[in-house]
Amino acid sequence: MSAPIWFGQPTIDHISQMQQGTIDEHLGITITEIGPDYLKGTMPVDQRTFQPTGRLHGGANVVLAESLGSIGANMVVDNSQQVCFGLDINANHVRGVSQGEVTGIAKPLHIGATTQVWEIKIYDEKDRLSCISRLTMAVVKR
């Protein structure tokens, strides 16, 4: 196993505090695991995240993907010196989900001085791929 990519020692409790009062809290997005080079989180599939047909809204998938990638990107840099903002996101929705929860796993594909690229895969409760997303982040000096 390689050394962790994170700046400092981020904790789930600290991330949870940062999520309070945000879209993450409203949609029920919870960070569940910080691995050495990935971040994992869940989101319920319910009335908050449904489209009118009773399936998970693609936009909710994108919120989960951007939240995980953005949190991860900001955990890689020294936040007293830099902050990361989303530049571009795309998502391919490959399987509908109509109940339970989905789990997203964000991993960096590129960590550069001015940009980062993150891949976020979202799975249903049977570990079937539901959505795959790519997020490009800008790294900006404070």
Side-chain angles (χ1 to χ4, degrees):
M1 177 160 65
S2 61
I5 61 172
W6 315 118
F7 183 86
Q9 297 179 338
T11 66
I12 291 173
D13 287 340
H14 177 71
I15 296 167
S16 295
Q17 290 173 10
M18 291 175 30
Q19 290 177 296
Q20 291 177 4
T22 70
I23 193 169
D24 291 357
E25 182 178 46
H26 179 72
L27 295 182
I29 295 171
T30 304
I31 303 304
T32 58
E33 187 177 339
I34 302 170
D37 67 346
Y38 67 90
L39 186 65
K40 187 184 284 190
T42 61
M43 181 177 67
V45 179
D46 62 18
Q47 73 284 353
R48 295 171 289 178
T49 58
F50 280 153
Q51 57 177 281
T53 61
R55 288 187 173 238
L56 181 60
H57 194 291
N61 271 337
V62 174
V63 171
L64 175 59
E66 183 151 0
S67 292
L68 292 172
S70 292
I71 291 168
N74 279 288
M75 287 172 33
V76 171
V77 300
D78 177 354
N79 290 133
S80 70
Q81 303 294 315
Q82 298 171 307
V83 64
C84 299
F85 297 103
L87 281 177
D88 182 66
I89 189 166
N90 69 41
N92 295 103
H93 308 289
V94 297
R95 177 182 299 278
V97 181
S98 57
Q99 63 183 355
E101 72 177 14
V102 289
T103 299
I105 302 170
K107 292 183 129 190
L109 299 175
H110 165 73
I111 299 175
T114 59
T115 62
Q116 297 180 17
V117 179
W118 288 74
E119 177 182 74
I120 304 92
K121 292 182 178 178
I122 300 174
Y123 299 91
D124 68 11
E125 290 184 319
K126 294 180 181 177
D127 286 330
R128 297 177 298 189
L129 185 66
S130 170
C131 177
I132 185 165
S133 181
R134 182 170 287 175
L135 172 66
T136 303
M137 300 291 294
V139 181
V140 180
K141 290 183 182 181
R142 284 197 183 266

